[in-house]
Amino acid sequence: MSPYLAAWILWILMFFAIELPAVFNRQPGDTLSELVWNVFAVRGKPAGWLVRRLVLLVGLVWLTMHFLTGGLV
């Protein structure tokens, strides 16, 4: 097993160690989805909401294209 594979496996395990308790405790704002929604102003229109949503959109489009093209983008 390569060190990078081991690191990614550890990263995924840590993600679930953080996310699962957050999902089950029902506190608002502590899951990854809720954090992204708050940071990028997905709900409501606070100051700078348009710029934040555009940054999220560009990032998600790039990530999708990166995966779909096998890293060409």
Side-chain angles (χ1 to χ4, degrees):
M1 178 184 314
S2 76
Y4 283 104
L5 178 57
W8 280 112
I9 291 171
L10 181 61
W11 184 88
I12 291 167
L13 291 173
M14 289 300 300
F15 169 79
F16 283 111
I18 296 166
E19 186 72 6
L20 286 177
V23 167
F24 291 112
N25 73 11
R26 303 282 186 202
Q27 297 278 333
D30 53 359
T31 65
L32 178 60
S33 297
E34 293 165 338
L35 177 68
V36 168
W37 297 334
N38 289 337
V39 169
F40 292 101
V42 173
R43 296 177 177 161
K45 294 185 179 179
W49 68 272
L50 185 59
V51 173
R52 292 194 249 174
R53 288 184 193 177
L54 286 173
V55 168
L56 178 62
L57 177 64
V58 168
L60 291 176
V61 167
W62 173 84
L63 183 62
T64 301
M65 294 305 298
H66 179 71
F67 285 145
L68 291 177
T69 62
L72 295 176
V73 176

